[in-house]
Amino acid sequence: MDSIQINIKNLAGIVSEEEILRKSELATSANNALHDGTREGSDFLGWVDLPSSITEEEFRDIEEAATVLRTHCDVVVVVGIGGSYLGARAVIDALTNSFDWLQPEKKRKNPVILYAGNNISEDYLSEMIDYLENKEFGIINISKSGTTTEPAIAFRLLKNLLEKKVGNEESKKRIVAITDATKGALRTLADSEGYKTFIIPDNIGGRYSVLTPVGLLPIAVAGINIRKLVTGAAEIEKATDKTVSFDYNLPAIYAVIRNELYRRGKKIEILVNYHPKLHFLAEWWKQLFGESEGKDQMGIFPAAVDFTADLHSMGQWIQEGERTIFETVISIKEPNKKVLVPHDEVNLDGLNYLKGKRVDEVNKMAELGTRLAHVDGGVPNILIEIPELNEKYIGQLIYFFEKACGISGYLLGVNPFNQPGVEAYKSNMFALLEKPGYEEATKSIKSKL
């Protein structure tokens, strides 16, 4: 197996293979629309052929900027919210040592990557500033406009700290702005200060931006091979183009199954992993599908669990709770490390029957046993297998989900590339903060309190 695979044998008898095949024409039409730009959201389809279109010059530019930050900084703070940071964090967490950030600086090969601007917690920002006081740090500020509240506050604080520590001229070398090509507050600031900049393409929305500089620069700073990541994505791009039949188009098959389960009352999809490194991959996936499909009073609710840990908290509900759920399980065929269960003379824990076995064998049996139990309990199960955790296969998985999301949204009948509902809370927040221009809204809201 040199590519991700999908296993659909455990759908609990709810959706048959024949029913899936009946939707092949609809799914193929939706897939073709992504390539042709013939449906809603066609102005946000730049991600479709992105993996195969990144040039050598673009790779070198990103790698050189990453080298500058890696050379000058022990810590790099990625400032962004939603798609501006989730994709990068998903890849970085998946492909770096879980305890790398705890290593002494002299032993570290790559900067510590921190994240700011994804919340408005005063304690979080204060603690980050305290941590950075004695660190050589840099900033990657990711914002199309430069005025989104959460990242704008974080950047203002961090920029102020950096300038106090190293001076204005040195700070300019340690700040990279990823923003609009010509307009917006961050573009204006970057041009006036002379920051190194990268462009957020107008035709790629945030949640589809992992393979643009938005994701690739932080990933490169973390020491991950972005060329291999993009190569993996390009392989799935090619495997899902207009020449590929439905039978071999794995994202299209996944999209059909999701929609058929939804029509049969399965309103919640739980993304399951058995590897803690995939936690933020699930967070990225939740935004991808939630923001793309949750509109017009429709859409599957995307949830996620980390097994086996969450089997001891959510397992009971999944096994015997309301039957409105289905699971998509990500399984890693081969771990990167090998650990054997040792023999113990006393054997008080009763684990000697496992002596000499790999820890991953225990994990795999927990995975198989759980899948079987959940299917028996009426929970349909889709299995996505990846050969191992590396750049190529994570790249494949990212593009797989992006393509499936686009197809699934079109099958559902919504525009999967807009997000009109995310502005509601902002308007209320601005009114409550008495932002200029929101005077009438302020009066209206205060009358309700």
Side-chain angles (χ1 to χ4, degrees):
M1 179 171 74
D2 63 352
S3 181
I4 61 173
Q5 303 289 328
I6 182 170
N7 184 323
I8 60 172
K9 294 178 180 178
N10 291 316
L11 295 178
I14 295 176
V15 180
S16 68
E17 186 174 336
E18 290 74 21
E19 289 169 321
I20 295 169
L21 289 173
R22 283 194 210 110
K23 302 294 183 179
S24 62
E25 288 188 17
L26 289 175
T28 298
S29 176
N31 184 64
N32 291 347
L34 293 174
H35 290 273
D36 298 335
T38 53
R39 297 194 189 180
E40 277 192 303
S42 60
D43 48 344
F44 285 99
L45 295 175
W47 59 272
V48 174
D49 61 357
L50 177 63
S52 63
S53 65
I54 299 175
T55 66
E56 175 63 25
E57 181 181 1
E58 290 170 327
F59 275 125
R60 280 203 306 267
D61 195 18
I62 292 169
E63 290 165 344
E64 288 170 4
T67 298
V68 171
L69 289 171
R70 288 162 59 84
T71 301
H72 288 87
C73 307
D74 299 319
V75 180
V76 173
V77 185
V78 178
V79 177
I81 194 166
S84 293
Y85 93 102
L86 277 173
R89 186 162 191 178
V91 175
I92 292 168
D93 278 24
L95 298 178
T96 55
N97 188 298
S98 301
F99 306 100
D100 192 44
W101 65 282
L102 290 173
Q103 297 298 318
E105 290 177 7
K106 292 181 179 179
K107 290 187 176 181
R108 291 186 54 80
K109 294 181 179 179
N110 308 301
V112 172
I113 307 297
L114 299 180
Y115 304 90
N118 51 62
N119 61 65
I120 323 178
S121 168
E122 189 165 353
D123 288 344
Y124 181 90
L125 288 168
S126 176
E127 289 163 4
M128 175 175 284
I129 289 168
D130 288 345
Y131 173 78
L132 294 172
E133 283 282 1
N134 298 314
K135 302 292 183 183
E136 296 296 332
F137 77 96
I139 306 168
I140 301 174
N141 190 17
I142 306 169
S143 177
K144 187 77 169 173
S145 65
T147 58
T148 302
T149 306
E150 295 91 338
I153 290 174
F155 180 62
R156 178 180 284 206
L157 289 166
L158 294 171
K159 175 176 174 286
N160 183 62
L161 175 63
L162 185 59
E163 289 175 347
K164 286 181 178 178
K165 278 177 58 67
V166 301
N168 288 0
E169 289 307 310
E170 177 63 21
S171 69
K172 292 174 184 178
K173 301 175 185 177
R174 302 189 189 189
I175 296 175
V176 178
I178 305 178
T179 188
D180 190 87
T182 60
K183 62 183 184 298
L186 182 53
R187 167 53 63 185
T188 300
L189 176 65
D191 288 346
S192 66
E193 295 290 322
Y195 299 154
K196 172 66 179 175
T197 63
F198 291 92
I199 294 170
I200 300 175
D202 286 334
N203 62 351
I204 300 178
R207 57 190 179 275
Y208 291 87
S209 67
V210 190
L211 302 177
T212 73
V214 168
L216 293 183
L217 179 59
I219 292 166
V221 171
I224 295 166
N225 190 319
I226 59 173
R227 294 171 186 257
K228 291 181 179 179
L229 182 78
V230 172
T231 294
E235 290 174 352
I236 303 302
E237 177 193 335
K238 183 178 180 181
T240 60
D241 66 21
K242 291 172 62 177
T243 67
V244 176
S245 69
F246 174 79
D247 307 54
Y248 297 97
N249 190 329
L250 300 187
I253 293 170
Y254 173 56
V256 166
I257 294 169
R258 295 179 77 253
N259 277 270
E260 290 304 298
L261 289 170
Y262 178 64
R263 290 184 175 89
R264 289 161 173 78
K266 303 300 181 182
K267 305 293 186 181
I268 302 167
E269 179 177 12
I270 302 174
L271 189 70
V272 179
N273 74 78
Y274 285 80
H275 201 310
K277 286 178 179 288
L278 295 179
H279 175 83
F280 271 93
L281 189 285
E283 294 300 301
W284 168 80
W285 172 89
K286 282 159 60 177
Q287 186 201 2
L288 178 68
F289 280 90
E291 201 167 77
S292 296
E293 294 189 318
K295 54 201 70 166
D296 300 337
Q297 306 296 307
M298 295 189 293
I300 297 167
F301 181 81
V305 289
D306 301 321
F307 285 168
T308 60
D310 286 341
L311 283 173
H312 297 261
S313 56
M314 294 297 295
Q316 172 63 39
W317 191 92
I318 295 171
Q319 187 69 45
E320 295 185 342
E322 187 178 66
R323 301 294 77 183
T324 54
I325 61 174
F326 68 97
E327 290 180 311
T328 295
V329 178
I330 301 176
S331 180
I332 302 167
K333 185 175 182 181
E334 187 64 31
N336 292 322
K337 308 290 184 179
K338 185 175 183 179
V339 178
L340 303 180
V341 178
H343 174 77
D344 185 271
E345 288 296 333
V346 181
N347 195 33
L348 290 176
D349 54 18
L351 292 181
N352 274 354
Y353 77 100
L354 296 176
K355 66 180 180 181
K357 292 184 182 294
R358 294 183 67 176
V359 172
D360 187 62
E361 183 179 348
V362 181
N363 196 35
K364 287 294 196 305
M365 293 306 100
E367 176 187 318
L368 178 58
T370 304
R371 283 171 37 221
L372 292 172
H374 288 178
V375 172
D376 288 344
V379 180
N381 187 285
I382 304 166
L383 178 65
I384 298 173
E385 294 181 285
I386 62 176
E388 62 181 290
L389 271 184
N390 64 25
E391 291 94 336
K392 173 183 173 180
Y393 298 123
I394 291 296
Q396 289 186 354
L397 193 61
I398 286 170
Y399 193 87
F400 169 90
F401 280 132
E402 288 180 343
K403 196 63 171 297
C405 188
I407 295 170
S408 185
Y410 282 155
L411 290 175
L412 182 64
V414 301
N415 177 356
F417 306 111
N418 67 355
Q419 53 280 341
V422 301
E423 298 301 319
Y425 91 91
K426 295 180 184 179
S427 297
N428 287 343
M429 178 179 67
F430 293 151
L432 289 165
L433 289 169
E434 300 183 4
K435 181 178 180 179
Y438 283 79
E439 289 80 6
E440 289 302 316
T442 300
K443 293 178 184 177
S444 175
I445 285 182
K446 286 188 173 181
S447 69
K448 301 175 183 178
L449 299 178

